[in-house]
Structures are given as C-alpha cells and as structure tokens.
Amino acid sequence: MSVSRTERLLNVVIALLAAHAPVSRAVIQRSVAGYDPDASTAAFERMFERDKDELRAMGIPVITVSDAHGEVLGYRIDEDEYRQGDIDLTAEELAVLSVAARVWDEAVLAPAAVTAVRKLEATSDSGQSVEVPTTFGSISATDAALLPVMRAIRDRRTIRFAYRKPGAPELEKRTVEPWMVRSLSGRWYLIGWDTDRGDERVFRLSRISGPVSITAQPVTERTHEPRTTVRAEGGDEVEATVLIPAGTGAELRRLAGAQHVSDDTWTIRAPRFELLTLLWRADASVVVEAPPDLVDDVVAGLDRIVAAHP
C-alpha cells in the first residue's frame, strides 16, 4: 500500500515517541510504514536523512544518540521539548495570524490555515474571533510555484523551472538561486540570482510553467543586498522627496531608485503602490515632503489604518 510522505513523517514521529530506547535505523527501515524494508541501505539512508531534516525544520526535536565511541545507536524525540505548552494569544497576536492565514486564500492550504487560526482563537483568553477587513495578497492556482519556491528559499537550494517571458513564444529554462518572494498588486514575484545570465532577475510566479525542481546545489553566499525592485505591471512611478533620519527606513534606503541627497534627505523613484506600502509601515520619524499628491495618499492611508485599529 502506498504511503504519502506526510504520513511517513507522522509514522516516524509516532515510532520515536513510543519507544523507550533509541530506535536504530535498521528498526526504522523495517518497522515504520512508508520505508521499503527491501531497499538498499544507501537508498533508505538518503530518504531518512531528508525526513529527519524536514522534521527538525518543523521544530520536532529528533535527537541522535551515540555511544562513547561516537557510533550512532539510534534516534529518539525529546518528549519535554516536543510537548506543546498552553497557548495564550492576545487579540493583536491573533490578528497577525489571521493576516497570515488570509495570504493562503484560494490556495490548497486555505482550509488548514483557517482551521488553525480558529483553534488558536478557541484556546486564547481573548474570547473573540478576529476578522481583518483589509485585502491582502492571496495565492491562486496560477501561483502554484510559490510553495516549492518558498521551500527552496528556506532550505537555501537552487531551483530550475520553465519560464515564459512577456511576448515570448517559447518557454525558457531558468536556473535560479532564490532569495525572496514578494507580493505586489495582487501578484507574487521571485527575486533571485539567474546563474545562466550571471545577474539578479525578477520572475512573476504565474509565468512559471510546470513544476519547480529543487536541486541539491546550495545557494551561493553573497554579501550585497538585492538591488532589484519589483515593479507593478502597469503601475505608475513616482519620484518622492523623503526625510529618513539615521537608523530608520532601511527598506526605503535599499530601493533601487533611492538616492541620498544630503543629511536626512533622500529622493526615491519607485512604483507608487510599493512606495506607499513602505512609507505606511516606516518609522514615524520618516516624513514625505513631496510631491503633494503622494503626501495626501500617505496621510489618507495612515488615517485608514488608525480607523481600523483604534
């Protein structure tokens, strides 16, 4: 009977929690459903190493037990570390989780995300259901590449995929070291290093065709900040004069269109929506001086935020 990867991981957790002594690899291969007892030792160990890393990445404390000579005796899960304590969230913390759940709207994980938030609400002392009326970026079926891309960013692994550029008749094979994903104007974008072109590139996830392949090649450590700005398609750009005191506005300073004029004065050229988003969440000491219509938009947006969160 076929066993899914998720079920196999759960079986490993159950087996290690139920054991009173470290469980050896041979016992795991022979007794845990999901592993082939007839597979070669090398094949089993590759699969088990991946599963062990995945469990640890999820916060499950899989401990390797060795003897005095360094020989691995087996594995166990520390019950004290594994056991989840009582969760008590404030209304503000629940609101943040609700925002996160909204991001998965229309995605395959939407039911799980909503159920998780409702369970946390039920266990919290706030006793209230938190609704967030503001519209946030969502993940639709066209953004199916987001989950494997986020997994590759977490694991710092290079990815390969087929990509269709605007107006191009043919798909292009791309090999990318992924750095980050961003949502802008309802669309998701990947920023990373295109290894074939030797430069930074931005990819709209809905233009990725077919599966995203996560390779074993690690992402190269780079010392510079990404200079690429995700620009909303069809969005108008604006040039603003902004006062950014020292020690504030790091995201604004890093924009590709940001230039330091003098003292705390900066000029920033960027898509209006992206610039507004960064200004709304910047430190209160960051002040927009021009143009007047952008100043009005910043003030109006802050007024709406205050009204929504009195």
Side-chain angles (χ1 to χ4, degrees):
M1 181 178 65
S2 177
V3 174
S4 69
R5 185 165 180 266
T6 301
E7 185 177 352
R8 185 177 72 244
L9 292 173
L10 181 59
N11 290 338
V12 173
V13 172
I14 294 172
L16 297 186
L17 281 174
H20 299 292
V23 183
S24 68
R25 293 192 178 202
V27 172
I28 292 173
Q29 180 180 6
R30 185 172 62 251
S31 61
V32 174
Y35 295 112
D36 183 359
D38 298 323
S40 67
T41 300
F44 162 75
E45 289 190 351
R46 283 195 299 270
M47 179 181 289
F48 180 64
E49 284 298 316
R50 288 195 298 267
D51 290 349
K52 184 156 53 71
D53 290 343
E54 182 77 10
L55 290 172
R56 286 171 174 168
M58 290 188 290
I60 298 175
V62 178
I63 297 174
T64 302
V65 180
S66 304
D67 62 16
H69 304 288
E71 293 292 326
V72 175
L73 299 176
Y75 303 87
R76 66 181 182 87
I77 291 178
D78 189 313
E79 289 192 44
D80 292 334
E81 289 189 30
Y82 177 77
R83 187 180 298 110
Q84 175 65 57
D86 294 337
I87 299 176
D88 184 17
L89 301 175
T90 65
E92 291 77 10
E93 291 169 332
L94 283 170
V96 172
L97 290 173
S98 184
V99 170
R102 286 288 186 90
V103 172
W104 301 98
D105 187 31
E106 299 180 10
V108 67
L109 294 181
V114 173
T115 300
V117 171
R118 295 308 177 214
K119 287 181 177 179
L120 289 171
E121 288 172 354
T123 61
S124 298
D125 291 338
S126 60
Q128 57 181 317
S129 177
V130 177
E131 298 296 337
V132 181
T134 312
T135 300
F136 297 92
S138 62
I139 304 171
S140 65
T142 59
D143 298 311
L146 181 60
L147 296 182
V149 167
M150 291 177 69
R151 190 176 300 118
I153 292 173
R154 182 199 65 191
D155 296 339
R156 302 190 58 76
R157 298 294 179 183
T158 300
I159 56 177
R160 294 193 180 97
F161 52 82
Y163 189 74
R164 187 181 301 279
K165 293 176 60 176
E170 302 292 335
L171 293 173
E172 296 181 355
K173 296 293 185 180
R174 311 299 280 265
T175 302
V176 176
E177 296 181 1
W179 290 344
M180 65 182 73
V181 291
R182 295 200 57 185
S183 176
L184 182 62
S185 299
R187 297 186 177 94
W188 286 90
Y189 298 85
L190 161 67
I191 300 176
W193 184 265
D194 190 318
T195 60
D196 296 324
R197 289 153 182 80
D199 200 2
E200 295 177 17
R201 289 292 188 271
V202 176
F203 305 91
R204 201 172 105 182
L205 294 189
S206 59
R207 291 204 179 103
I208 293 179
S209 179
V212 174
S213 175
I214 302 176
T215 73
Q217 180 180 346
V219 170
T220 304
E221 294 291 342
R222 302 183 188 276
T223 57
H224 71 281
E225 291 285 346
R227 63 179 184 274
T228 308
T229 301
V230 177
R231 303 189 182 277
E233 294 177 327
D236 61 320
E237 284 196 335
V238 60
E239 184 170 304
T241 302
V242 186
L243 295 181
I244 310 176
T248 64
E251 290 183 305
L252 291 165
R253 297 168 186 267
R254 286 200 296 262
L255 288 175
Q259 291 187 344
H260 187 204
V261 179
S262 62
D263 297 328
D264 294 340
T265 303
W266 290 68
T267 60
I268 302 176
R269 184 171 183 83
R272 176 179 293 268
F273 179 81
E274 179 181 14
L275 184 54
L276 282 169
T277 301
L278 295 179
L279 290 169
W280 285 330
R281 70 188 191 209
D283 186 89
S285 61
V286 174
V287 179
V288 187
E289 291 194 321
D293 60 328
L294 183 68
V295 175
D296 292 340
D297 287 345
V298 171
V299 173
L302 293 174
D303 286 341
R304 289 196 299 271
I305 293 172
V306 171
H309 305 281

